[in-house]
Amino acid sequence: DAGITQSPRYKITETGRQVTLMCHQTWSHSYMFWYRQDLGHGLRLIYYSAAADITDKGEVPDGYVVSRSKTENFPLTLESATRSQTSVYFCASSEGRGVNEQFFGPGTRLTVL
Amino acid sequence: EDQVTQSPEALRLQEGESSSLNCSYTVSGLRGLFWYRQDPGKGPEFLFTLYSAGEEKEKERLKATLTKKESFLHITAPKPEDSATYLCAVHTRGASTSGTYKYIFGTGTRLKVLA
């Protein structure tokens, strides 16, 4: 089915472990984004990518790593998870340059114990 | 500092009772203002984009308007299925502290429409 998917939908991990959240979109959108959503903060941009092999930091990038070797995939890695990274993570995509709406995935709920 | 503030935080309406949600912003150059709807356990769903003051967009019972300082989402004769969190976001010309793309979300208004 066309759209944007995320996996896993739920993840429990321990402090210090490496975790990778996956994001896949079928629209061939050039832009992709990772957000975290926490009570009282709303959605905050972690990283974004304008195209394959082009990534840049958002507002809260510390502790996260991204890569984009293919247009359709944009994985987010927590290299050494901390409790403060417990959150709901959303991936989104949008069409090319310009002011465009974003299309969001269903989210991944991550708990770091 | 760029900022987006939504009010009220929560709103309870009776079915058919019209109201408005507010999104006020202070940003260094607005490129676009977006409204999204978010249902529990799901990702935000796009509703509207507004680009300049005076612009209005409508979709079913929803109407979004934009001034130089704020945007309103008017809900006319709401139904229980309109219950959701409504998010406002701005795309600015300014750069973030780390990168060059700045897209700021408000914390949302949780709307509950009672039958």
Side-chain angles (χ1 to χ4, degrees):
Chain A
D1 288 342
I4 184 165
T5 56
Q6 294 183 235
S7 62
R9 294 293 315 279
Y10 303 90
K11 176 74 176 179
I12 300 174
T13 190
E14 295 178 339
T15 301
R17 291 192 179 268
Q18 183 179 81
V19 177
T20 295
L21 309 183
M22 304 301 294
C23 179
H24 176 80
Q25 54 107 353
T26 60
W27 292 304
S28 298
H29 285 167
S30 57
Y31 276 79
M32 295 188 75
F33 310 87
W34 274 107
Y35 291 89
R36 59 178 292 172
Q37 187 172 40
D38 306 287
L39 282 174
H41 286 283
L43 284 154
R44 290 181 291 174
L45 183 62
I46 303 171
Y47 269 96
Y48 68 97
S49 169
D53 298 321
I54 301 175
T55 62
D56 204 352
K57 298 176 181 179
E59 296 293 328
V60 289
D62 293 343
Y64 303 95
V65 175
V66 293
S67 62
R68 196 170 176 203
S69 57
K70 293 183 177 181
T71 300
E72 61 267 30
N73 296 325
F74 190 38
L76 176 74
T77 298
L78 289 67
E79 293 190 302
S80 179
T82 65
R83 290 181 182 170
S84 63
Q85 293 177 309
T86 292
S87 185
V88 181
Y89 290 85
F90 289 100
C91 178
S93 70
S94 72
E95 293 184 284
R97 299 185 69 84
V99 184
N100 296 303
E101 67 271 22
Q102 296 184 9
F103 297 88
F104 285 80
T108 294
R109 182 174 293 275
L110 176 68
T111 302
V112 183
L113 302 176
Chain B
E1 181 185 351
D2 294 343
Q3 201 164 15
V4 176
T5 303
Q6 291 189 246
S7 62
E9 288 187 13
L11 182 62
R12 290 166 68 95
L13 299 173
Q14 292 293 324
E15 184 172 5
E17 180 187 1
S18 301
S19 188
S20 297
L21 313 183
N22 177 262
C23 172
S24 63
Y25 61 91
T26 52
V27 297
S28 53
L30 179 71
R31 299 189 67 194
L33 185 142
F34 302 82
W35 283 97
Y36 292 85
R37 169 191 170 128
Q38 186 174 24
D39 292 299
K42 296 188 176 181
E45 178 185 345
F46 169 73
L47 293 173
F48 302 109
T49 308
L50 301 167
Y51 296 100
S52 57
E55 190 174 0
E56 300 183 352
K57 295 270 181 77
E58 279 189 75
K59 180 181 179 180
E60 296 180 355
R61 294 177 293 281
L62 300 177
K63 179 180 177 180
T65 62
L66 181 65
T67 72
K68 289 186 178 180
K69 294 183 178 181
E70 58 192 349
S71 176
F72 291 93
L73 185 65
H74 306 279
I75 304 177
T76 301
K79 298 182 178 181
E81 54 261 42
D82 294 322
S83 297
T85 296
Y86 290 85
L87 302 172
C88 168
V90 297
H91 184 187
T92 83
R93 291 188 177 89
S96 71
T97 54
S98 301
T100 58
Y101 190 97
K102 202 164 188 184
Y103 201 95
I104 307 168
F105 277 85
T107 53
T109 293
R110 296 190 311 278
L111 174 66
K112 177 74 173 177
V113 182
L114 305 172

